[in-house]
Amino acid sequence: MQIVKAAVAAALATLALSASAMTPIQDTELSAVSGQDGVSIAANLNIKMDSFVYTDTDALDANGMGGGSVSFNGIKVKGLIAASIDILSKNSFLAAAGAAGVTNPGTFYSPTTGGDVVQIAIPADVQVGAGKLLNISVDSIKMGNNAASFGSVAMNQVDLRGTQVWIWAH
């Protein structure tokens, strides 16, 4: 009985392996395959940064001016963001750039020799709950080693919907 069970298990394992084997596909067969393109990304951001410090390394002049630093402390970025990533052909990119208001893409992209372009877009129609758009805040802004603060900064409900970013090699 054990031998029969082992033989059945081996046969089933062989069937499972042969059923999942990958086989090459020819270009002619592949051209008939269609599917969805692009990648979508969604994130609920909760980023906290202790500080961002800018330091001026200039030497002090005769009046004691130069050098110093400013620090932005308690930086927070919170909110929802969704984006899609697609590959655009040259013609699709030129059409998208034109729709965005670009009147002369030749100043940064060659309309004759340019290639495909990666587009990262935050769709204009993404529905976001009230109060859930991007919020950016800085708790304090200080000069040098001074404990006194110039105050805080907040940018609330930053709406990036409809934004497009294009990336290409050159």
Side-chain angles (χ1 to χ4, degrees), residues 76-103:
K76 298 175 198 76
V77 179
K78 295 182 179 188
L80 296 173
I81 190 167
S84 63
I85 300 175
D86 290 300
I87 305 298
L88 301 181
S89 68
K90 175 176 55 175
N91 292 337
S92 295
F93 166 65
L94 292 171
V102 176
T103 58

Side-chain angles (χ1 to χ4, degrees), residues 41-103:
I41 300 171
N44 181 18
L45 299 178
N46 189 15
I47 301 168
K48 296 178 183 173
M49 193 179 340
D50 187 39
S51 67
F52 169 81
V53 179
Y54 169 75
T55 302
D56 182 353
T57 58
D58 289 344
L60 294 177
D61 64 16
N63 298 320
M65 303 297 287
S69 65
V70 61
S71 63
F72 298 81
N73 307 292
I75 302 167
K76 298 175 198 76
V77 179
K78 295 182 179 188
L80 296 173
I81 190 167
S84 63
I85 300 175
D86 290 300
I87 305 298
L88 301 181
S89 68
K90 175 176 55 175
N91 292 337
S92 295
F93 166 65
L94 292 171
V102 176
T103 58

Side-chain angles (χ1 to χ4, degrees), residues 52 71-76 136-142 149 151-155:
F52 169 81
S71 63
F72 298 81
N73 307 292
I75 302 167
K76 298 175 198 76
I136 304 167
S137 65
V138 177
D139 290 342
S140 66
I141 303 169
K142 299 178 180 181
S149 173
S152 62
V153 175
M155 294 183 284

Side-chain angles (χ1 to χ4, degrees), residues 103-120:
T103 58
N104 183 8
T107 58
F108 58 89
Y109 176 86
S110 173
T112 55
T113 62
D116 291 346
V117 173
V118 176
Q119 173 179 274
I120 301 171

